[in-house]
Amino acid sequence: MRAHVEFITTPTADTPGTTLLLHFDKKRYLIGSVAEGTQRAIMQRGAKLTKVSDIFLTGKMEWANTGGLIGMILSLADVVTTQAEDAIRIAREKAERLLVREQRANGGDQVNEKLGESAAAFEKPTLTIHGGTNLTHTLATARRFVFRKGMAVELDEFEGRNTQAASRDGKSEPTFTDENVKVWAMTILPSDLSGDVSPTSGTSKGLGKRSFGLVDEVQTDESSLGRSGGLTDAERGRGNLMRKAVVSEMFNSEWRLDHLVEMPLSEVDMPAAIFIRDPETGRIREYAGPMPPEVKPSEGPISPVNDINVLVRQPWPGALIRELPPTSPSREALSYVIKTHPQRGKFLPDRAKALGVEEGPKWASLAMGICVEAVDGSIVTPEMVLGEGSEGTGFAVVDLPSEGYVDGLVKSEEWKIETIMNGVNAIVWILGPGVSKDERLKRFVSKMSHINHIVSSPDHCPNYLALDSSASATIQLFKLDPLRFQLPIHDNAKVPQVETSTTDTQGKPSPFQAAERGKRIQLQPRLEVQDKYVVPPLNTAVAWKSVSPEVERLAQDAENELRDERMQQEIARQQEGIPGMDVEIITLGTGSSLPSKYRNVSATLVRVPGIGSYLFDCGENTLGQLRRMFRAEQVLEILRDLKAIWISHLHADHHLGITSVIKAWYEEVWGNGKQARPQGESIRHPQDCLKVLREEKRLFVLSEYAMIKWLKEYASVEDYGFDKLVPLAVLSAKPWMGVSSKMGWGDILITPNAEAEEGLRELGVALVSAMGVSDVQAVDVDHCRGSKAVSFTFPSGFKFSYSGDCRPSREFAVIGKDSTVLLHEATFDDELQGDAKAKKHSTTSEALGVGVAMGARRVILTHFSQRYQKIPVMDAVEGQDLGIDAAGEISATTDAAESDPSMDVSSQASLVKIKNPASVDMKIGIAFDFMRVKVGEIIHLERFTPALIKHYEQQEEAGGNFRRDRREVQVDNQRTKKPKQEPKARKAKTKHDKIQSDR
């Protein structure tokens, strides 16, 4: 049996954490951090995750180490679900073929019987995640937007364990063991918390796992859980049981979408899908009568409704938990010692014969470690017939976030216990900046000179391009259009990545060897560090030269055309009256559903000169994308100028990067000794709000209430800056009723413009002034519960409208009227309109139709299905048929919304098609990751379309890189049927492509 551990990531802008993959023939284990960007890096490496059974998280349970965990779990669960459905489908087809031949008459019953056997044989896999204090709480906060049934998730939280205590006989039992490995977890505390005191509970630790025997004795009221002075062991135990129950309901629930419950109409939590049973036919149909109020009395008019009984879908059980038990930040850092089991010696046939064991099955049993009976009736044990075995080999993974953890590491008992350390011949050091220069650590390492010491740290590992495919695509785009694209920021050699006061300038030899992507530690048959699998850095020259002369000529033609005097005059004419020409739009992530090798998930930065920067959605690793586009000092400038973050809806691909961005903003604006970090004020009165807006630099976060709640709940895990936000829960406008958007800050409702109600007008003006805008309006759109589209209007008259994810919306066209720029999702091309309706997204023509309907001067299309790995189908953009009537009128016809428990089923108008796009004064651009375009340059983008199309056609013909890589994580929605039409030649081949279910 062979086993090895491989470096998947080392610290870079793309991959801020260190991730290892422990590989056995039938199982895989992830070890280290699962930071943002980890999933993309794994795709890039072509590593298969379907056999991953356990994740061992190292370091502190903070977002820097866990930010990619939720997305990883979602993708794994979807892959497993697809595999199960495929296995059952194949079994059904096989059974049908066999039984049709054998017995046509009774085939149906036998097919079902065989199918049942196949389904029973497919055991639902379980993913176990091991980590420190607050791991369970972190996952439980995601209950409102995470629900999967294909894979059970179990959590093994080392909360309250003394993992460093040795027993009296000098041995220590592992904290985890299975058929492949034994694992000892080490909880390391910083120097100011060393000793026997838990950093979270303030109580003494006991040996082994925390006992839950006192859980039933504690009070159950909330005041007992939230009292000051810390929680008792029993209170924390009860809280953890509740959190584990929540996580279990998120991944292992029996909840069904088609289950309806009856309740009075007045008690329905709107928005919701409401049904009623027809009294005459008994059939269930959609309720079309008066709706219950969706707003409070202070928010607008309420119509009385008849309080009849209706049928509604209940949210999945985890989402019904309104509040989690309290917790507090933990400073524990986890490390591990991991060993394989001892290997049995070689089977010796001569000994077996001498002991009277007959050749055959009994020999095989002895070789596998099973006792057998000899001819004379005596018992023969394996030790009698096996040669000398070998001790299990292993390695340690030590995660030290800062120098404060070095003392705790040195004093750990594990290093002194022979049963743990025998066979450990390598240590992987995951170190924070400056830690490797600590003299105490150097002395500790020097005492273990017989062990291989491999360090993964920004002090030893350069900021290379970890996402080769994405970087190559950007380099090629830079060659074609250097004004809109640039070379990704990277350095394949410089270490440390950032000079610090702890940088060693004496040139002393380091006791460490640097970790590299692909470096392996072979564990079996013998321990060996192997560099032959190291992945070399991307050769940027090869990517540059991969652009053909023909494509270069087309790009040059576009540049020459734009330099033509008559063309410049025509462009100037078409630009007349457009405000905000210098506003820069930076598309950081332009893909949908989950990150791919070529497109990251949703995020767009809008930089308004003289006012500030604004983020529209913030998918996983948005901060990493910024750090690839801008140098360190430029990133800090953007963070200082950041005014607001808008989150369109609570799907993972739109918001899982927000925590990192807020924390980076917090540290730049409030950290590094610049200002004290006082606790957030209690916002109870308008004057409290005014005081904050006038006296402090705050970051505005605008979204639905559930998003604000998630940010607040996670703030109890780490201080990432929530207390310095202005968290605004947005209540949608009702254009047909003349009702404007309102924003809830705590218990105060604010109209974000000068038209606020008497008594709140001053606050409304102060709010938009501090945000740098003159108005913000949002409407509900048809995608999932709480989805909103938004329009930001600035004092200069510049107006930016963003759709988020949605079907075409009449109400959005109303609030976005006369937009300067519309950024609209175009998940599917026109041939897949059925998919767009089923998944509640828009096609290319539908997105452009919204632009025409609102009179937008410029439109940028984004959020492309990951089936389009590099470029979406651009036929409609070339002006053949945009799909709206010449007058740009919006049809009153309404799509019947297919509902799930989180979907808003309010009517949304669908758009008809444009027959004469030439008559529409609207310029269109296609978004790519890392694209920077000023409003005045959007008109230039269409000139480069021929070059882009030809480039990707050649890419496809050259080697199939355009084709979706089979090794990538694929998500299938079996309920969506494949369209009958064959895709056009220039589109990505879809033989192995599967339609992705949007998270």
Side-chain angles (χ1 to χ4, degrees):
M1 179 174 66
R2 291 185 174 273
H4 66 265
V5 60
E6 177 179 342
F7 283 88
I8 300 296
T9 68
T10 61
T12 69
D14 301 312
T15 56
T18 299
T19 307
L20 310 171
L21 181 65
L22 178 56
H23 182 288
F24 286 85
D25 292 339
K26 296 182 179 180
K27 257 190 180 184
R28 311 284 189 272
Y29 309 80
L30 283 178
I31 306 163
S33 70
V34 183
E36 294 180 45
T38 301
Q39 187 176 176
R40 284 189 90 189
I42 290 173
M43 291 179 187
Q44 184 66 62
R45 288 287 294 120
K48 296 180 180 179
L49 296 181
T50 52
K51 293 184 179 181
V52 170
S53 62
D54 294 83
I55 298 176
F56 292 91
L57 295 171
T58 64
K60 297 192 288 184
M61 294 302 103
E62 295 184 349
W63 200 257
N65 288 329
T66 63
L69 186 60
I70 293 172
M72 180 82 73
I73 294 172
L74 288 170
S75 293
L76 280 172
D78 290 337
V79 169
V80 167
T81 300
T82 299
Q83 289 179 333
E85 292 173 349
D86 286 346
I88 293 173
R89 176 181 53 80
I90 292 170
R92 176 185 287 277
E93 292 172 355
K94 183 178 180 181
E96 287 177 346
R97 287 195 302 269
L98 291 173
L99 292 172
V100 164
R101 290 199 301 264
E102 293 176 5
Q103 192 176 3
R104 289 181 178 271
N106 299 321
D109 293 337
Q110 295 186 36
V111 166
N112 291 331
E113 182 181 343
K114 292 286 186 182
L115 178 62
E117 293 173 0
S118 300
F122 190 90
E123 182 180 353
K124 180 188 288 188
T126 298
L127 176 68
T128 303
I129 305 171
H130 312 262
T133 301
N134 287 330
L135 168 62
T136 314
H137 190 94
T138 297
L139 284 182
T141 63
R143 65 195 180 278
R144 295 180 178 89
F145 58 90
V146 172
F147 178 75
R148 289 295 188 275
K149 299 177 69 172
M151 179 182 70
V153 173
E154 294 184 356
L155 301 180
D156 181 21
E157 184 173 312
F158 300 113
E159 191 270 338
R161 296 193 204 177
N162 186 344
T163 58
Q164 301 179 9
S167 59
R168 295 180 181 178
D169 59 0
K171 298 181 180 180
S172 181
E173 293 297 320
T175 48
F176 170 85
T177 184
D178 68 2
E179 68 273 22
N180 293 320
V181 295
K182 295 182 290 185
V183 180
W184 289 264
M186 295 186 289
T187 302
I188 301 173
L189 303 177
S191 301
D192 56 338
L193 287 179
S194 59
D196 295 322
V197 177
S198 165
T200 55
S201 66
T203 60
S204 299
K205 292 183 179 180
L207 300 181
K209 296 185 178 180
R210 176 177 295 281
S211 169
F212 294 105
L214 298 178
V215 170
D216 294 335
E217 299 177 17
V218 301
Q219 295 177 319
T220 57
D221 62 283
E222 293 183 6
S223 62
S224 70
L225 290 174
R227 66 173 183 264
S228 60
L231 304 175
T232 68
D233 286 358
E235 288 169 335
R236 291 188 64 81
R238 177 183 177 275
N240 257 0
L241 287 177
M242 179 178 176
R243 296 183 189 97
K244 286 186 176 181
V246 169
V247 173
S248 177
E249 291 289 358
M250 291 164 60
F251 297 100
N252 204 24
S253 173
E254 296 302 320
W255 178 89
R256 299 197 326 270
L257 175 63
D258 58 359
H259 179 64
L260 298 175
V261 296
E262 189 175 45
M263 67 173 56
L265 180 60
S266 61
E267 297 179 11
V268 175
D269 184 16
M270 294 296 291
I274 304 177
F275 302 88
I276 192 171
R277 190 177 298 278
D278 192 303
E280 296 180 0
T281 65
R283 294 183 177 181
I284 294 175
R285 58 177 173 80
E286 189 172 353
Y287 172 72
M291 292 293 182
E294 298 185 34
V295 293
K296 300 176 183 177
S298 59
E299 299 170 20
I302 295 177
S303 301
V305 297
N306 296 323
D307 199 14
I308 60 174
N309 285 338
V310 294
L311 300 171
V312 295
R313 293 187 176 97
Q314 286 281 60
W316 54 83
L320 295 175
I321 305 298
R322 295 187 177 274
E323 301 283 345
L324 292 178
T327 189
S328 56
S330 170
R331 296 173 64 189
E332 299 172 334
L334 269 180
S335 298
Y336 301 97
V337 176
I338 302 174
K339 290 177 61 176
T340 62
H341 292 289
Q343 299 297 301
R344 292 188 293 271
K346 184 179 179 181
F347 178 73
L348 304 174
D350 291 341
R351 289 190 186 180
K353 290 178 181 178
L355 293 170
V357 180
E358 298 171 332
E359 185 175 355
K362 291 186 178 181
W363 283 21
S365 296
L366 286 168
M368 291 187 294
I370 303 172
C371 298
V372 300
E373 185 178 342
V375 176
D376 60 5
S378 62
I379 300 299
V380 179
T381 65
E383 290 77 12
M384 298 178 180
V385 297
L386 299 179
E388 185 177 355
S390 61
E391 177 68 32
T393 56
F395 64 103
V397 182
V398 179
D399 193 319
L400 304 178
S402 67
E403 292 177 277
Y405 289 82
V406 174
D407 275 342
L409 163 81
V410 172
K411 295 175 182 177
S412 295
E413 295 291 331
E414 280 78 4
W415 310 116
K416 305 173 185 177
I417 302 174
E418 291 186 3
T419 54
I420 296 178
M421 293 305 297
N422 283 346
V424 174
N425 292 313
I427 300 179
V428 175
W429 299 90
I430 302 175
L431 304 179
V435 178
S436 64
K437 308 298 189 286
D438 190 283
E439 292 299 326
R440 296 165 298 173
L441 182 60
K442 289 183 178 180
R443 289 194 296 270
F444 178 80
V445 170
S446 67
K447 296 176 183 178
M448 298 184 176
S449 57
H450 62 288
I451 290 179
N452 295 282
H453 296 276
I454 306 171
V455 62
S456 184
S457 163
D459 292 340
H460 294 259
C461 305
N463 182 27
Y464 61 90
L465 294 167
L467 303 176
D468 307 61
S469 300
S470 173
S472 294
T474 303
I475 291 167
Q476 294 160 5
L477 291 171
F478 167 65
K479 188 172 186 179
L480 298 178
D481 187 2
L483 291 179
R484 258 66 65 180
F485 299 91
Q486 64 186 35
L487 292 175
I489 303 297
H490 71 286
D491 192 318
N492 292 335
K494 180 184 176 183
V495 289
Q497 294 181 19
V498 179
E499 299 291 339
T500 66
S501 59
T502 60
T503 300
D504 191 351
T505 58
Q506 300 179 9
K508 296 180 181 178
S510 172
F512 303 103
Q513 56 177 302
E516 297 177 87
R517 183 175 52 157
K519 183 189 283 283
R520 288 184 180 182
I521 304 171
Q522 179 181 277
L523 303 178
Q524 292 175 346
R526 64 181 184 278
L527 195 140
E528 178 181 81
V529 177
Q530 300 175 331
D531 289 330
K532 61 183 178 181
Y533 299 102
V534 169
V535 180
L538 174 68
N539 189 330
T540 55
V542 172
W544 179 267
K545 293 176 181 178
S546 65
V547 179
S548 74
E550 180 183 5
V551 173
E552 286 189 68
R553 283 195 299 271
L554 289 171
Q556 188 61 52
D557 290 345
E559 291 186 16
N560 293 338
E561 189 177 2
L562 290 170
R563 293 194 190 103
D564 181 80
E565 184 176 350
R566 285 179 298 179
M567 174 61 70
Q568 291 181 352
Q569 291 175 353
E570 175 60 21
I571 289 175
R573 184 192 67 78
Q574 295 185 26
Q575 304 273 47
E576 289 179 359
I578 296 180
M581 295 281 282
D582 290 333
V583 172
E584 188 175 33
I585 299 168
I586 302 168
T587 50
L588 299 167
T590 59
S592 68
S593 185
L594 78 168
S596 78
K597 291 198 304 183
Y598 295 100
R599 291 184 183 271
N600 199 37
V601 286
S602 297
T604 301
L605 180 71
V606 177
R607 303 183 75 181
V608 183
I611 296 181
S613 297
Y614 302 80
L615 261 176
F616 292 85
D617 279 335
C618 196
E620 181 180 327
N621 212 25
T622 293
L623 185 61
Q625 297 285 92
L626 280 171
R627 288 172 172 165
R628 273 290 176 238
M629 288 193 71
F630 300 96
R631 299 196 178 279
E633 61 275 12
Q634 295 174 311
V635 173
L636 296 180
E637 179 186 353
I638 289 171
L639 292 172
R640 288 192 296 270
D641 290 343
L642 190 60
K643 290 279 191 178
I645 302 175
W646 165 265
I647 302 298
S648 62
H649 63 290
L650 212 60
H651 274 169
D653 58 320
H654 288 257
H655 75 271
L656 285 182
I658 190 172
T659 308
S660 295
V661 172
I662 293 173
K663 188 170 185 178
W665 169 86
Y666 183 43
E667 291 175 345
E668 173 59 23
V669 173
W670 290 89
N672 301 322
K674 295 176 184 176
Q675 301 184 57
R677 292 186 177 186
Q679 291 296 313
E681 295 81 359
S682 175
I683 303 299
R684 297 181 179 178
H685 305 287
Q687 291 304 315
D688 298 331
C689 301
L690 284 170
K691 182 176 183 296
V692 169
L693 294 175
R694 290 168 177 169
E695 297 180 4
E696 292 189 7
K697 184 175 178 62
R698 292 288 184 112
L699 177 61
F700 295 83
V701 175
L702 300 84
S703 189
E704 63 157 321
Y705 172 78
M707 179 68 199
I708 304 302
K709 188 66 176 176
W710 177 69
L711 290 171
K712 184 177 181 181
E713 280 191 342
Y714 183 74
S716 62
V717 173
E718 66 173 304
D719 177 20
Y720 69 91
F722 181 80
D723 285 340
K724 291 304 170 189
L725 301 179
V726 176
L728 298 174
V730 178
L731 300 177
S732 295
K734 312 290 184 187
W736 64 94
M737 297 172 59
V739 177
S740 297
S741 290
K742 296 182 184 295
M743 298 181 182
W745 186 0
D747 294 329
I748 301 172
L749 283 174
I750 309 166
T751 301
N753 52 43
E755 299 177 2
E757 295 85 347
E758 192 68 34
L760 291 176
R761 189 163 300 159
E762 184 181 8
L763 179 55
V765 171
L767 182 73
V768 293
S769 175
M771 206 186 305
V773 300
S774 57
D775 193 15
V776 176
Q777 293 296 315
V779 292
D780 292 330
V781 289
D782 187 15
H783 181 62
C784 73
R785 184 185 180 94
S787 296
K788 300 180 190 300
V790 71
S791 289
F792 275 57
T793 305
F794 293 83
S796 66
F798 173 71
K799 187 172 184 178
F800 183 84
S801 295
Y802 174 54
S803 68
D805 286 4
C806 64
R807 294 290 298 144
S809 167
R810 182 175 187 173
E811 288 70 37
F812 181 37
V814 172
I815 67 164
K817 181 176 174 56
D818 297 328
S819 288
T820 312
V821 176
L822 165 65
L823 181 69
H824 203 290
E825 71 118 294
T827 307
F828 295 102
D829 71 83
D830 294 340
E831 292 179 351
L832 298 177
Q833 188 174 42
D835 295 321
K837 288 182 178 180
K839 295 175 178 294
K840 296 185 178 294
H841 285 292
S842 297
T843 66
T844 303
S845 291
E846 288 173 334
L848 297 177
V850 175
V852 172
M854 66 172 52
R857 301 295 300 270
R858 302 292 180 260
V859 175
I860 296 178
L861 301 179
T862 188
H863 196 270
F864 303 109
S865 168
Q866 299 293 13
R867 65 170 59 215
Y868 314 123
Q869 287 296 289
K870 295 178 180 177
I871 192 170
V873 178
M874 300 179 69
D875 293 346
V877 184
E878 293 179 79
Q880 300 302 314
D881 180 8
L882 299 188
I884 302 183
D885 60 29
E889 295 295 329
I890 300 179
S891 168
T893 59
T894 303
D895 293 329
E898 295 181 18
S899 302
D900 69 21
S902 62
M903 284 186 175
D904 175 4
V905 296
S906 60
S907 298
Q908 300 292 339
S910 59
L911 303 180
V912 221
K913 297 197 167 184
I914 287 190
K915 300 301 180 185
N916 185 16
S919 67
V920 181
D921 184 18
M922 182 179 76
K923 299 303 175 184
I924 305 154
I926 299 295
F928 293 86
D929 284 19
F930 301 120
M931 185 178 79
R932 302 175 63 178
V933 60
K934 292 184 176 180
V935 171
E937 299 171 348
I938 295 175
I939 196 171
H940 299 172
L941 295 177
E942 63 185 11
R943 301 296 167 185
F944 290 89
T945 298
L948 293 173
I949 290 176
K950 176 58 68 175
H951 174 61
Y952 287 120
E953 283 180 352
Q954 292 178 353
Q955 290 277 301
E956 180 182 7
E957 295 168 0
N961 288 333
F962 191 77
R963 192 179 297 126
R964 184 184 179 94
D965 193 318
R966 297 185 197 184
R967 297 173 299 183
E968 292 185 15
V969 176
Q970 298 183 15
V971 182
D972 190 11
N973 186 338
Q974 296 290 350
R975 293 174 296 179
T976 304
K977 294 183 179 180
K978 201 170 184 178
K980 294 180 179 179
Q981 305 97 315
E982 288 297 323
K984 296 182 180 180
R986 70 179 49 150
K987 286 170 37 178
K989 294 181 180 179
T990 59
K991 180 178 179 181
H992 302 288
D993 180 40
K994 296 189 175 181
I995 298 169
Q996 302 183 19
S997 60
D998 192 358
R999 296 200 287 256

